[in-house]
Amino acid sequence: MYPALKHLHVSCAAVSFALFLLRGWWRVRFPARLALRWVRTVPHVVDTVLLASAIGLCFLTRQWPLRDEWLTAKVAGLVVYIALGMIALRRGRSPAVRLTAFIAAVAVFLWIVGTARRHAPWLPVI
């Protein structure tokens, strides 16, 4: 059960990030595409499955945010990533603000992946 759930979680994370990158590109080059129905729906579905698989992994491994330091850091990073993503894709007042938020969101995502892989928030991503 664990390998399948972990594979689902990692796959959803990759798809979610790819969709974020695509929407970031479209925000700059083809903004009308952001209004397509699937673009407004699919990322939410993927992120819901991602969250559900994360909760399932917590139950299976008995690791929890606020108890396990690396998982606490990962969840905190996720909150920052979501906030930066909102600024990058919707709420940024200028192209420069949106671009800065986009780059920062990518960096935070890479840090989250490094934290998840090493189960240690203080180690470098590389």
Side-chain angles (χ1 to χ4, degrees), residues 13-79:
V15 170
S16 178
F17 187 59
L19 288 170
F20 175 70
L21 293 175
L22 179 65
R23 290 182 294 158
W25 174 250
W26 284 355
R27 178 77 169 103
V28 173
R29 301 292 291 169
F30 311 103
R33 291 184 184 177
L34 294 174
L36 295 171
R37 184 177 181 97
W38 77 266
V39 175
R40 293 185 328 234
T41 305
V42 171
H44 296 297
V45 172
V46 172
D47 291 344
T48 299
V49 175
L50 178 61
L51 178 60
S53 64
I55 292 168
L57 286 168
C58 285
F59 277 99
L60 280 177
T61 63
R62 298 174 193 241
Q63 294 180 335
W64 302 99
L66 303 179
R67 192 185 83 195
D68 295 286
E69 183 180 57
W70 73 273
L71 200 50
T72 303
K74 186 177 169 187
V75 171
L78 176 64
V79 171

Side-chain angles (χ1 to χ4, degrees), residues 24-25 27-29 31 84-104:
W25 174 250
R27 178 77 169 103
V28 173
R29 301 292 291 169
L84 289 168
M86 288 173 55
I87 294 167
L89 296 178
R90 281 188 250 147
R91 304 214 188 273
R93 294 183 185 253
S94 70
V97 168
R98 288 191 297 272
L99 177 62
T100 302
F102 183 81
I103 292 168

Side-chain angles (χ1 to χ4, degrees), residues 103-123:
I103 292 168
V106 169
V108 169
F109 180 85
L110 294 174
W111 177 83
I112 291 169
V113 169
T115 297
R117 290 179 51 106
R118 291 175 180 79
H119 290 199
W122 57 88
L123 295 176

